[in-house]
Amino acid sequence: MPGWLPRAMVMALALYGCFQLGSWAFYQLIGLLTNVLIAFFLALAIEPAVSRMAGRGMRRGLATFLVFLAVLVAGVGFVVLLGSMLAGQIVDMVEEFPKYLDSVINWVNQTFRTELSRVEVQDSLLHSDWLQKYVQNSATGVLDVSTTVLGGLFRLLMIFLFSFYFAADGPRLRRALCSVLPPSRQTEVLRAWEIAVDKTGGYIYSRGLMALISGAAHYVLLVVLGVPYAPALAVWVGLVSQFIPTIGTYLAGALPMLIAFTVDPWYALWVLGFVVVYQQFENYVLQPKLTSKTVDIHPAVAFGSVVAGTALMGAVGALIAIPAVATLQAFLGAYVKRYDVMDDPRVQGGHRWPRGEPVLSRIRRAVRGGGDGAGTAGGSR
């Protein structure tokens, strides 16, 4: 056996063990890494406001705290408003349930010539096996729901803490990162950081503006139809449709449709039609104009980035995919050399004809060429 072979085997086993240990640690810490990534993009989104307040003489920590306090107050107010609306609507639906049940029973009796009564239907429902099993499963699932809620609150607190430190200590973090790099690399890192702040802030700004426009448009519709809780529903539609990619529009429109259905079933169809029409207006008119000035990313690239982000990281990837791709595109665009495009009709999808040749000559030559081809084909036969 060669003398180097045992050492090579030991080295290979050690590298394999380190790889397995690193993979295990990565999968154990993937939740923490995801939270840190979300916190980093959140800090990039609020850094322009923090830097503007700090530039006016305010301490950076205090400015970060005030920005987070405003975000927290707005979020809690939205949740409380939406929760009160849902609670009131559920109470109204429970109180009106006997009337709905009577109308359904009367329709069934008239249509199918039956003699059902509400008392019999209620007794059969209360003593049914599936209802008892559902109650038992719900009772056992309360602990799981409580654990999920507490875990979500802890994760949200972790994200806020990391994003607070990233935003408050942004200059110190950049200085620490640049201290281990040569001057040429420091310039590139600071440039990439500036682009990331600009694109992420632009994305949040454009989404917030579209949420405001969407909420105002749906508020007018709900007020005209006389649907209750119009302000809360408008805020719900604006925020959910803009800040939950891909499926946010459908989630946002489902709740107003449900509330409108309790008023009049035809109102639900009106809401559905308005949501569909407004979505087309937003996709083809409003969004391109806003994102071209803030994010500057093609709609096809944005859609592909959302799909890729969802495949890689789920809902989190879908949320941060667009600012991440916009940042990468802007950073790479600064180093790609571009040239002037030559004046050629084929660039616009046209056909290149010989210069100076009249149109009639082209047609005559094309017809003559077709006749010669036909005659030659006939002679060969």
Side-chain angles (χ1 to χ4, degrees):
M1 179 183 296
W4 56 266
L5 185 57
R7 293 192 299 271
M9 294 176 62
V10 172
M11 183 66 68
L13 292 176
L15 291 177
Y16 180 75
C18 292
F19 173 76
Q20 292 293 333
L21 181 62
S23 300
W24 173 81
F26 177 77
Y27 283 110
Q28 293 295 324
L29 297 177
I30 191 170
L32 176 62
L33 296 177
T34 303
N35 294 336
V36 171
L37 184 61
I38 298 174
F40 178 72
F41 274 95
L42 181 59
L44 292 179
I46 67 171
E47 185 163 345
V50 174
S51 299
R52 187 174 302 174
M53 297 172 66
R56 296 182 178 180
M58 185 180 296
R59 293 179 54 186
R60 193 173 182 88
L62 179 60
T64 306
F65 174 76
L66 292 178
V67 173
F68 269 102
L69 182 62
V71 173
L72 183 61
V73 169
V76 171
F78 171 70
V79 172
V80 171
L81 183 63
L82 185 63
S84 62
M85 178 199 69
L86 291 178
Q89 198 65 27
I90 290 173
V91 170
D92 294 339
M93 292 178 64
V94 170
E95 292 178 352
E96 298 293 331
F97 181 75
K99 296 181 181 179
Y100 295 146
L101 186 58
D102 288 338
S103 62
V104 172
I105 292 175
N106 293 331
W107 179 81
V108 171
N109 291 333
Q110 294 176 2
T111 304
F112 299 100
R113 306 296 182 180
T114 58
E115 296 181 357
L116 298 176
S117 64
R118 187 175 60 172
V119 177
E120 294 177 355
V121 174
Q122 290 177 348
D123 291 340
S124 61
L125 289 176
L126 293 176
H127 295 87
S128 60
D129 295 335
W130 67 270
L131 182 61
Q132 295 177 1
K133 292 181 180 179
Y134 177 78
V135 172
Q136 293 176 358
N137 294 332
S138 300
T140 56
V142 170
L143 182 60
D144 297 335
V145 173
S146 302
T147 304
T148 303
V149 172
L150 292 177
L153 292 177
F154 178 75
R155 183 179 181 182
L156 188 62
L157 178 62
M158 184 186 305
I159 292 173
F160 269 91
L161 285 177
F162 275 114
S163 57
F164 180 84
Y165 291 138
F166 285 149
D169 294 337
R172 187 182 305 176
L173 180 61
R174 289 190 287 270
R175 189 178 298 109
L177 183 61
C178 292
S179 64
V180 298
L181 298 173
S184 59
R185 297 296 181 184
Q186 293 179 15
T187 304
E188 305 302 330
V189 170
L190 294 177
R191 185 173 188 175
W193 195 293
E194 183 180 3
I195 291 175
V197 171
D198 181 55
K199 295 301 179 180
T200 305
Y203 173 73
I204 298 298
Y205 168 76
S206 61
R207 288 293 173 179
L209 186 58
M210 286 192 295
L212 180 62
I213 298 174
S214 176
H218 287 83
Y219 173 76
V220 172
L221 173 68
L222 296 175
V223 169
V224 171
L225 295 178
V227 177
Y229 308 106
L233 290 175
V235 174
W236 163 267
V237 171
L239 293 180
V240 174
S241 62
Q242 300 304 323
F243 290 98
I244 298 182
T246 308
I247 63 172
T249 302
Y250 308 103
L251 293 178
L255 185 59
M257 286 176 56
L258 179 61
I259 304 300
F261 184 82
T262 60
V263 179
D264 191 340
W266 289 104
Y267 288 175
L269 294 178
W270 278 102
V271 174
L272 176 61
F274 184 82
V275 168
V276 172
V277 172
Y278 181 82
Q279 185 64 27
Q280 304 307 313
F281 166 75
E282 182 181 282
N283 290 338
Y284 295 103
V285 178
L286 186 61
Q287 184 174 353
K289 291 184 178 181
L290 292 179
T291 55
S292 62
K293 298 179 180 179
T294 54
V295 183
D296 192 17
I297 184 173
H298 194 273
V301 178
F303 179 74
S305 63
V306 169
V307 173
T310 304
L312 292 175
M313 301 178 61
V316 176
L319 187 62
I320 66 176
I322 293 180
V325 171
T327 301
L328 181 62
Q329 176 181 328
F331 184 71
L332 294 178
Y335 299 95
V336 176
K337 188 176 181 179
R338 299 182 180 274
Y339 302 92
D340 293 333
V341 180
M342 57 186 299
D343 189 10
D344 195 318
R346 289 174 293 183
V347 176
Q348 304 296 333
H351 185 75
R352 183 177 182 181
W353 295 95
R355 291 185 177 180
E357 185 179 6
V359 178
L360 294 177
S361 299
R362 301 173 190 170
I363 297 175
R364 190 181 301 111
R365 181 163 51 84
V367 172
R368 187 184 302 113
D372 295 341
T376 304
S380 62
R381 290 194 299 269

